[in-house]
Amino acid sequence: QVQLVESGGGLVQPGGSLRLSCAVSDRIPSMYSMAWYRRAPGKQRELVASITYTDVKKYADSVRGRFSISRDNAKRTMYLQMDVLKLEDTAVYYCKLIDPDGASGRYEYWGQGTHVTVSS
């Protein structure tokens, strides 16, 4: 079964940077999209950024200009470069894969999450 494994979270000071990675364990026989979500303490999960198979990107207003999403299809890995981090970016970050055809057996997959803490 396809698994998503996030990495790169940690503790960083305000204004600092982190780079998250999300690795897909198996080949997906379709043009799948991917996305980063986050859940801050006491809040609902929200979409941070998304990227299609052909590199069309979208961002939440709260991170636009500070975060950059990218992917390497050959490595089956998605990234989230987070710069100028703010206290309010503290959250558990999750990656999601959307298989539009369900050719992999399911239509969506979620990672386990990686913690990002922004604190002075």
Side-chain angles (χ1 to χ4, degrees), residues 42-116:
K43 295 187 177 181
Q44 292 186 333
R45 186 167 57 191
E46 64 173 349
L47 175 64
V48 176
S50 63
I51 184 168
T52 68
Y53 194 81
T54 53
D55 249 25
V56 176
K57 305 172 185 180
K58 294 183 178 180
Y59 296 93
D61 290 342
S62 59
V63 307
R64 187 175 292 112
R66 300 187 297 121
F67 291 9
S68 178
I69 190 171
S70 62
R71 61 190 287 173
D72 184 330
N73 291 332
K75 295 182 178 180
R76 297 195 303 267
T77 302
M78 174 179 66
Y79 305 96
L80 185 69
Q81 178 65 40
M82 304 186 297
D83 297 320
V84 195
L85 282 161
K86 302 177 179 181
L87 297 175
E88 53 263 41
D89 294 319
T90 295
V92 179
Y93 284 71
Y94 300 89
C95 66
K96 179 182 179 181
L97 183 151
I98 304 99
D99 179 358
D101 303 321
S104 62
R106 289 169 49 179
Y107 289 95
E108 64 178 43
Y109 299 86
W110 288 90
Q112 293 299 308
T114 185
H115 290 259
V116 172

